[in-house]
Amino acid sequence: MLYRELAETYEKIEGTTKRLEMTDYLVELLKKTPHDIIDKVVYLTQGKLYPDFVGVELGLAEKLAVKAVALASGVSEKKVVELLYNYGDLGTVSEELLKKKRQKSLFSFNTDEKLSVEKVYENFVKIAGTEGSGSQDKKIKLLVELFNVATPREARYIARTVVGKLRLGIADMTILDALAAAFGDGKEHRKYVERAYNIHPDLGYIAKVLAAEGVEGVINIQIEVGVPIRAMLAERLPSLEEILKKMGGRAAFEYKYDGMRIQAHVTKDKTVLYSRRLENLTSQFPDVISAIGEAFKGDNAIFDGEAVPVDVNTGELLPFQMVSHRRGRKYGIEKIIDEIPVVLFLFDVLYLNGEDMTTKPYSVRRKALEEWITETDRVKFAHRIVSDNLDEIRLFFDKAIADGCEGLVAKNIGDESIYRAGAREFLWIKYKRDYRIELIDTLDLVVVGAFAGKGRRKGTYGALLMAAYNPDKDSFETVCKLGSGFTDEQLAGLPRMFEGLLLKERHPRVWSEIEADYWFVPRIVMEVVGAEITLSPTHTCARDVVEHGSGLAIRFPRFTGKWRDDKSPEEATTTKELVEMYRSQVKKVEK
Ligand code: ATP
């Protein structure tokens, strides 16, 4: 097939903003494409070489593409850069320069040689795959080879594609429309094509199956371990009452962890991880891979879950930003893993020991998950309750927030509760607190205990147990574990600093339901900032004041670096002050 056919179609598509017209042009192109290269034509039209989850990008550095354009058109690089600055698009620049060259050398240009789709694709694959010394020159050569036989119009699209800027504005859904129209009856068959796309999001592959076997073939496409499935998403409703009603009065409520969604494809030899956007994350989370290997005893499976960083010393969940720098990193991962490990909270299983689980109801999937996974330090099940009681659900929501989660995801437990890949529907409904405010004021809290350090903090304290003062009861009531904001020096100095204050057991004026490893005389006051105040079932600060059975806690507390030597423990922030801060925070949100 001639690349000219593609370039002509692209030009037509560029000339319209109407989706229906775009679809028609695509249908026309697909119909005349030979079946054996239809996958390549689809990828090229998307500006790619493979589906995204393969993780191979064409994206040649613009600098190199400029060199190739200069060589192919016989002008200086400086001239190309200048034009690029004016046009803002290397495609147009290539087109213009080649036009001029061809006008000048009409006779020396071999018009017999025609560029095929196969040749363009082949050179692109080589460009993407060439590495190591001398690779830049090789890439330039491969591109020049294409420009030398390309028409100016073809050069426009080659240049754009090679630098990753084809941007025809064709969404995946438009390609699905076109495929269903080109090889099926359009509307009715579109459903099957879309289903196949949701469990096997590779448009080139689907096109090939359609072209070879028709809609029947597409209906037979199955889930495959190693090929990502489009993630099921949650709808939202504004209140827990409405959610419960929508769910038919009873549902599962799971913690909504605030981390990174991970779809894990596990076989005996290999585990591959995908993000919510189906990017391959395998190299960034070797720790997750070995953790799953330990926890899963079956042959093969696809799991859905959320990876969340944890503080090794407090055991508490951390904000996701703490591991976001793992993204896109291939080196130095080992060190990051030691410092901030992640826990994978599994909430679904989509495939298990050769069987498609997506068509089974939620309760069956959850049961299978619990049967085949053994919980470890690093792999856990999403915490959940199944309930029809609003009070119980509200308390569970508070607990989720206090435990560092965003809120809850309610899940339908009826027979219809299959895993709907790629869909955002009411089978899952999220309910979260969508505010995140830094506490305006700092707090002065009293150190009442400490926890033994782990990992890098071995030999010192990993975290301190902090309390607010309650003048009515003359007691110190716990409000958070503090493990962040210390310099290495400060950390190392902690045991000596508290040596003289060590007790055999909890001080009588300290009210704590948490067992610390070390207890201190409440004397030292530290300045702390936090993200917000939350209700907490474990901390004792202002217990029962705001809500029966709950105390208050500080979310994501951090030491400011300031020791408040000028304050006695009785001058620390009071439990009453914290209640006021909590209430004004709630009011702000309700406004
Ligand atoms: P948000 O920004 O609220 O996470 P989103 O568009 O990324 O929105 P939604 O489908 O609306 O995703 O919300 C569900 C998301 O919540 C999932 O993509 C997943 O990353 C996360 N999550 C955390 N815990 C759970 C859980 N127990 N069940 C399902 N999803 C969960």
Side-chain angles (χ1 to χ4, degrees):
M1 185 183 198
L2 294 182
Y3 187 70
R4 198 190 64 214
E5 308 260 16
L6 265 62
E8 278 172 12
T9 307
Y10 296 166
E11 189 165 53
K12 284 195 233 162
I13 289 176
E14 271 186 335
T16 179
T17 50
K18 297 197 185 87
R19 187 169 159 188
L20 280 181
E21 272 176 32
M22 275 187 198
T23 315
D24 289 344
Y25 296 137
L26 279 176
V27 172
E28 219 175 284
L29 176 69
L30 291 168
K31 278 189 170 160
K32 63 183 169 198
T33 302
H35 291 181
D36 60 326
I37 59 159
I38 195 164
D39 49 347
K40 292 177 182 153
V41 168
V42 169
Y43 299 137
L44 286 175
T45 305
Q46 292 181 289
K48 307 173 184 172
L49 297 176
Y50 308 102
D52 287 342
F53 63 83
V54 172
V56 176
E57 273 180 39
L58 184 51
L60 182 73
E62 199 157 64
K63 224 172 60 200
L64 298 188
V66 162
K67 279 192 177 161
V69 175
L71 281 171
S73 55
V75 301
S76 69
E77 274 176 52
K78 199 165 151 247
K79 176 80 186 162
V80 180
V81 172
E82 230 173 74
L83 288 171
L84 182 57
Y85 187 78
N86 287 338
Y87 286 111
D89 161 38
L90 194 64
T92 316
V93 174
S94 316
E95 184 175 19
E96 291 303 315
L97 286 173
L98 280 190
K99 238 188 235 165
K100 277 197 192 128
K101 184 179 172 196
R102 301 289 147 78
Q103 277 162 2
K104 273 193 212 152
S105 55
L106 208 48
F107 298 104
S108 62
F109 176 56
N110 181 359
T111 42
D112 292 341
E113 205 178 329
K114 300 241 165 39
L115 198 53
S116 70
V117 172
E118 289 89 335
K119 177 69 186 165
V120 173
Y121 189 84
E122 184 192 315
N123 278 30
F124 280 172
V125 167
K126 284 186 187 156
I127 289 174
T130 306
E131 279 178 12
S133 74
S135 64
Q136 296 201 345
D137 288 341
K138 280 186 209 146
K139 286 177 194 236
I140 293 171
K141 221 171 129 209
L142 286 159
L143 188 52
V144 171
E145 200 178 285
L146 295 179
F147 282 140
N148 280 346
V149 280
T151 63
R153 186 203 279 135
E154 288 170 343
R156 185 201 310 168
Y157 296 108
I158 289 171
R160 285 184 191 164
T161 308
V162 85
V163 294
K165 292 184 182 162
L166 181 64
R167 296 189 194 140
L168 294 174
I170 307 172
D172 285 8
M173 291 301 147
T174 309
I175 298 185
L176 287 180
D177 288 345
L179 285 171
F183 299 103
D185 67 359
K187 237 186 174 158
E188 186 53 25
H189 289 162
R190 170 76 164 68
K191 265 196 334 231
Y192 300 119
V193 178
E194 184 164 346
R195 173 204 152 267
Y197 171 72
N198 285 331
I199 59 167
H200 200 124
D202 176 346
L203 289 171
Y205 171 79
I206 292 173
K208 210 160 185 177
V209 172
L210 260 179
E213 302 167 39
V215 175
E216 271 308 301
V218 160
I219 292 173
N220 288 328
I221 290 180
Q222 301 293 335
I223 289 179
E224 240 177 78
V225 182
V227 177
I229 296 171
R230 293 186 70 226
M232 177 163 174
L233 299 172
E235 264 294 349
R236 59 169 76 76
L237 281 175
S239 70
L240 287 170
E241 285 91 328
E242 279 165 89
I243 292 175
L244 197 59
K245 202 165 142 223
K246 188 92 185 170
M247 291 285 180
R250 186 177 173 79
F253 289 84
E254 298 184 352
Y255 272 17
K256 186 177 193 301
Y257 295 93
D258 192 4
M260 180 184 220
R261 187 148 184 189
I262 286 194
Q263 196 178 93
H265 290 240
V266 191
T267 61
K268 284 244 182 278
D269 330 313
K270 190 166 139 192
T271 295
V272 185
L273 307 178
Y274 294 108
S275 73
R276 148 140 190 226
R277 299 175 55 203
L278 315 184
E279 305 139 308
N280 195 317
L281 296 174
T282 311
S283 62
Q284 294 161 52
F285 292 95
D287 47 339
V288 170
I289 291 180
S290 55
I292 295 177
E294 234 175 80
F296 177 55
K297 298 296 173 236
D299 287 334
N300 50 55
I302 303 175
F303 297 110
D304 201 352
E306 188 92 353
V308 190
V310 281
D311 183 324
V312 274
N313 288 291
T314 60
E316 287 175 353
L317 303 180
L318 294 171
F320 185 70
Q321 296 86 284
M322 306 284 292
V323 290
S324 52
H325 58 292
R326 279 198 193 188
R327 269 200 120 140
R329 224 188 231 248
K330 291 215 172 82
Y331 310 101
I333 284 286
E334 296 302 324
K335 190 166 163 261
I336 300 176
I337 289 170
D338 269 0
E339 282 170 19
I340 309 166
V342 302
V343 172
L344 180 63
F345 290 94
L346 293 177
F347 50 76
D348 224 316
V349 54
L350 317 186
Y351 190 85
L352 183 62
N353 299 327
E355 198 181 352
D356 180 352
M357 299 294 286
T358 59
T359 52
K360 301 186 190 299
Y362 167 85
S363 309
V364 175
R365 300 199 308 275
R366 175 77 190 204
K367 195 159 162 256
L369 183 65
E370 290 178 13
E371 209 171 297
W372 286 88
I373 287 278
T374 315
E375 278 193 303
T376 65
D377 275 358
R378 293 282 168 264
V379 177
K380 299 192 181 298
F381 303 125
H383 202 39
R384 67 156 196 171
I385 54 169
V386 176
S387 178
D388 55 7
N389 179 324
L390 261 181
D391 288 337
E392 186 187 22
I393 299 163
R394 276 202 193 99
L395 266 182
F396 193 64
F397 173 75
D398 293 341
K399 195 161 163 349
I401 300 291
D403 283 347
C405 292
E406 272 187 310
L408 299 177
V409 185
K411 298 195 170 169
N412 189 309
I413 51 173
D415 291 343
E416 70 276 31
S417 59
I418 57 167
Y419 187 95
R420 292 268 290 126
R424 189 188 288 284
E425 290 173 0
F426 285 98
L427 289 174
W428 287 9
I429 309 174
K430 62 182 168 182
Y431 181 66
K432 62 178 182 179
R433 277 234 295 231
D434 45 4
Y435 59 95
R436 185 103 19 118
I437 35 175
E438 279 274 321
L439 289 178
I440 303 159
D441 209 358
T442 54
L443 305 165
D444 298 318
L445 302 175
V446 186
V447 188
V448 295
F451 303 89
K454 293 182 193 153
R456 268 191 344 130
R457 295 195 181 172
K458 229 181 179 135
T460 176
Y461 301 141
L464 302 176
L465 184 59
M466 309 301 292
Y469 180 59
N470 182 340
D472 297 334
K473 297 188 189 158
D474 187 29
S475 65
F476 295 95
E477 303 178 356
T478 72
V479 69
C480 65
K481 289 183 188 177
L482 179 67
S484 307
F486 296 94
T487 62
D488 287 349
E489 253 180 4
Q490 281 167 340
L491 270 178
L494 287 177
R496 267 203 46 209
M497 182 166 184
F498 285 94
E499 213 169 42
L501 301 175
L502 265 176
L503 298 170
K504 287 219 165 55
E505 53 191 33
R506 182 167 48 80
H507 192 277
R509 285 169 72 204
V510 169
W511 179 21
S512 172
E513 288 189 357
I514 293 173
E515 254 325 296
D517 296 326
Y518 306 94
W519 293 108
F520 306 131
V521 179
R523 174 138 332 136
I524 305 245
V525 181
M526 295 168 74
E527 190 178 79
V528 173
V529 283
E532 62 176 300
I533 301 169
T534 62
L535 291 174
S536 161
T538 34
H539 285 290
T540 52
C541 172
R543 170 75 57 90
D544 294 334
V545 177
V546 177
E547 195 167 283
H548 185 69
S550 289
L552 294 179
I554 296 163
R555 198 170 178 210
F556 303 143
R558 198 171 69 241
F559 178 38
T560 63
K562 214 191 240 175
W563 302 93
R564 297 302 307 256
D565 307 331
D566 54 328
K567 280 200 168 181
S568 72
E570 290 78 12
E571 283 172 305
T573 303
T574 63
T575 55
K576 204 164 147 225
E577 280 174 296
L578 278 158
V579 170
E580 278 158 17
M581 288 170 90
Y582 175 79
R583 291 201 165 123
S584 71
Q585 182 185 290
V586 172
K587 243 191 236 145
K588 226 186 253 166
V589 173
E590 284 169 353
K591 257 186 209 164

